[in-house]
Amino acid sequence: MPKGLQYSMVDDGPLATAAPPPPTRKAWRTVCDEAKLKNGQSRRLVLEAENEQVVVFRHRRKLFAIDNRCAHQGGNLCAGDVEDLGTVLRHRTKAPPKSVNACLEDGVVRCPRHGLCFNIRTGEYVDDPDSGTLRQRVFPVRSKDGKIQVQVDVLRKDGDAAAPPPPPAAGSFRDFLKSRA
């Protein structure tokens, strides 16, 4: 679901046509100075125009970046506690789920709203990594020239490289179906 609709769902009636997403481009954005993010801490990057929030964690001296809004109900993950996956699984009463992508040293953030846990390296929901329904978006993150940066999709500006052509005018749902036949 597009972030712009995540918290304000509107019923536009039957066969409402969603507007195409605005054109974007990849860009590196600075989150903070390298020295301001200590091991075990997090910092949030807010992109107002894109309605995006990214949280960067330093866990075991490595950097990880995921969507700050919990996939469950939008909780603020930068306020959550981070532990090793092995520690989280040790406290579970049921058998841990199997994930080919996880290792016990991976960091896991617990959402402060409802307690759901996400792997900060893979974005997987820890209790059911294969479900695919609850997954946090993972962002490339780097340290460059003493700054921590995250690669995000930002809105294109007039001076940016060629934007894709505008979408065709919206027709009826029947017209759409006929074009697919």
Side-chain angles (χ1 to χ4, degrees):
M1 171 182 317
K3 292 279 184 202
L5 300 176
Q6 188 169 8
Y7 302 109
S8 58
M9 299 293 285
V10 177
D11 183 8
D12 289 333
L15 305 178
T17 305
T24 60
R25 64 179 174 82
K26 300 267 186 218
W28 289 97
R29 293 293 184 250
T30 298
V31 178
C32 65
D33 290 335
E34 177 83 29
K36 293 202 175 188
L37 185 60
K38 305 287 185 215
N39 203 40
Q41 292 181 333
S42 66
R43 290 284 183 267
R44 181 176 65 166
L45 172 67
V46 177
L47 302 164
E48 294 288 336
E50 292 79 8
N51 192 24
E52 189 75 67
Q53 294 182 18
V54 179
V55 59
V56 176
F57 298 96
R58 186 183 298 273
H59 179 72
R60 293 183 170 261
R61 296 174 299 283
K62 294 181 184 173
L63 297 171
F64 303 92
I66 61 174
D67 190 340
N68 184 51
R69 295 179 185 133
C70 176
H72 177 232
Q73 287 190 348
N76 196 12
L77 294 180
C78 69
D81 294 326
V82 177
E83 298 180 274
D84 283 343
L85 177 61
T87 303
V88 171
L89 295 178
R90 230 176 292 137
H91 293 101
R92 301 287 166 102
T93 55
K94 61 181 182 178
K98 303 290 185 225
S99 172
V100 295
N101 296 324
C103 60
L104 295 178
E105 293 80 29
D106 280 352
V108 172
V109 62
R110 181 180 310 276
C111 178
R113 187 171 286 176
H114 293 110
L116 276 69
C117 295
F118 296 93
N119 185 317
I120 62 174
R121 183 178 59 84
T122 65
E124 294 174 334
Y125 172 49
V126 171
D127 285 330
D128 191 5
D130 297 323
S131 73
T133 56
L134 287 176
R135 174 181 283 274
Q136 294 300 116
R137 182 175 175 194
V138 176
F139 295 87
V141 62
R142 70 183 182 187
S143 178
K144 183 175 181 184
D145 300 326
K147 306 281 187 193
I148 295 174
Q149 299 177 330
V150 176
Q151 188 180 44
V152 293
D153 295 323
V154 296
L155 295 175
R156 287 187 186 269
K157 295 186 171 93
D158 291 337
D160 287 347
S172 71
F173 187 65
R174 280 198 182 105
D175 293 339
F176 171 76
L177 290 175
K178 286 178 186 175
S179 73
R180 296 289 185 182

